[in-house]
Amino acid sequence: MFTGLVKTIGEIKGVQTRATGLQLSVVAPALASQEDPLCLGESIAVNGACLTIAALIPNGFVADVLEETLRCTMFHRLAVGARVNLERALRVGDRLGGHFVSGHVDEVGYLLSRRAEGEDEVFRFTCSSTFSRGTIRKGSVTISGTSLTLTTVGEGWFEVALIPTTRKETILGALAVGDAVNLEADLIGAYVRKALHQSECSLEKLIAAGFAD
């Protein structure tokens, strides 16, 4: 479990093709030098995808990316030198400054546009219709591991506003139109949608039950 608050930016130092996917070597001096060092087997979010540390290297780690993860992420686009958002797993008792993030990426989106609004910038991303129908304005979304608030939602797209700090401290500030990102919908919202679908809940039934006029 993660929060979507990126702790540092790492750099891809190696990409090896394996029979079952890829193996990534990531250098992240800020994480490797902590008093609580990285350890084998721990979970770490790389651009929002939960991976397991398979080996330790100087100032970084190695993680395997399975075919299923490749299918629903933009990892097949990663090359040596690429920068990635990193977050270690949430510990009990930590502050939850973002929102609950599972690290299970739903799909890949693409940057459609970015425009300035004062000191902030509004980014518009593509997504599937299924994804957009499961999101709400002012709800949460995870973009390449970064917890953000949805400002506008349309059919097959959504917008988020990025403050200067977010643009500086994550890889999102360097995105260009057409770039791919990993998307994860709000975890709680996903469970609510499934529960409503299974119960065949509808607006008419809610009105009949007295929940709306």
Side-chain angles (χ1 to χ4, degrees):
M1 185 67 69
F2 306 90
T3 66
L5 298 184
V6 175
K7 301 305 180 184
T8 189
I9 295 176
E11 181 179 344
I12 301 295
K13 284 298 185 181
V15 180
Q16 292 187 336
T17 302
R18 297 295 181 90
T20 56
L22 294 178
Q23 187 174 76
L24 301 178
S25 298
V26 183
V27 170
L31 292 184
S33 63
Q34 289 183 350
E35 293 183 2
D36 180 20
L38 299 172
C39 61
L40 290 175
E42 80 166 271
S43 296
I44 188 165
V46 180
N47 274 3
C50 180
L51 302 180
T52 300
I53 294 179
L56 298 174
I57 58 176
N59 290 325
F61 63 92
V62 175
D64 295 316
V65 182
L66 299 180
E67 288 288 350
E68 171 60 19
T69 304
L70 285 176
R71 184 188 63 79
C72 59
T73 68
M74 44 71 68
F75 281 164
H76 63 282
R77 296 170 176 261
L78 290 179
V80 172
R83 299 162 76 238
V84 290
N85 288 332
L86 299 174
E87 181 190 357
R88 298 180 74 176
L90 177 67
R91 290 188 297 189
V92 175
D94 283 352
R95 289 187 179 90
L96 184 62
H99 71 283
F100 286 118
V101 176
S102 70
H104 300 156
V105 175
D106 292 306
E107 63 184 53
V108 174
Y110 298 88
L111 181 62
L112 273 176
S113 64
R114 52 186 294 181
R115 66 181 188 275
E117 287 193 358
E119 293 187 353
D120 302 332
E121 279 195 63
V122 176
F123 287 47
R124 177 176 291 199
F125 293 93
T126 65
C127 62
S128 68
S129 296
T130 300
F131 190 93
S132 62
R133 286 195 294 268
T135 59
I136 59 171
R137 183 174 178 270
K138 302 300 183 182
S140 297
V141 66
T142 308
I143 303 176
S144 287
T146 308
S147 173
L148 293 164
T149 300
L150 294 149
T151 58
T152 309
V153 179
E155 183 69 18
W157 61 270
F158 64 84
E159 291 184 342
V160 292
L162 275 67
I163 62 174
T165 299
T166 303
R167 300 198 304 271
K168 177 183 178 183
E169 301 297 332
T170 73
I171 66 170
L172 300 185
L175 290 178
V177 172
D179 283 349
V181 293
N182 292 332
L183 300 178
E184 181 187 332
D186 180 57
L187 183 62
I188 296 176
Y191 283 117
V192 171
R193 290 197 305 274
K194 184 173 183 179
L196 291 175
H197 177 74
Q198 291 179 335
S199 66
E200 297 183 349
C201 183
S202 66
L203 178 60
E204 291 74 17
K205 288 183 180 181
L206 290 173
I207 293 174
F211 287 98
D213 294 329

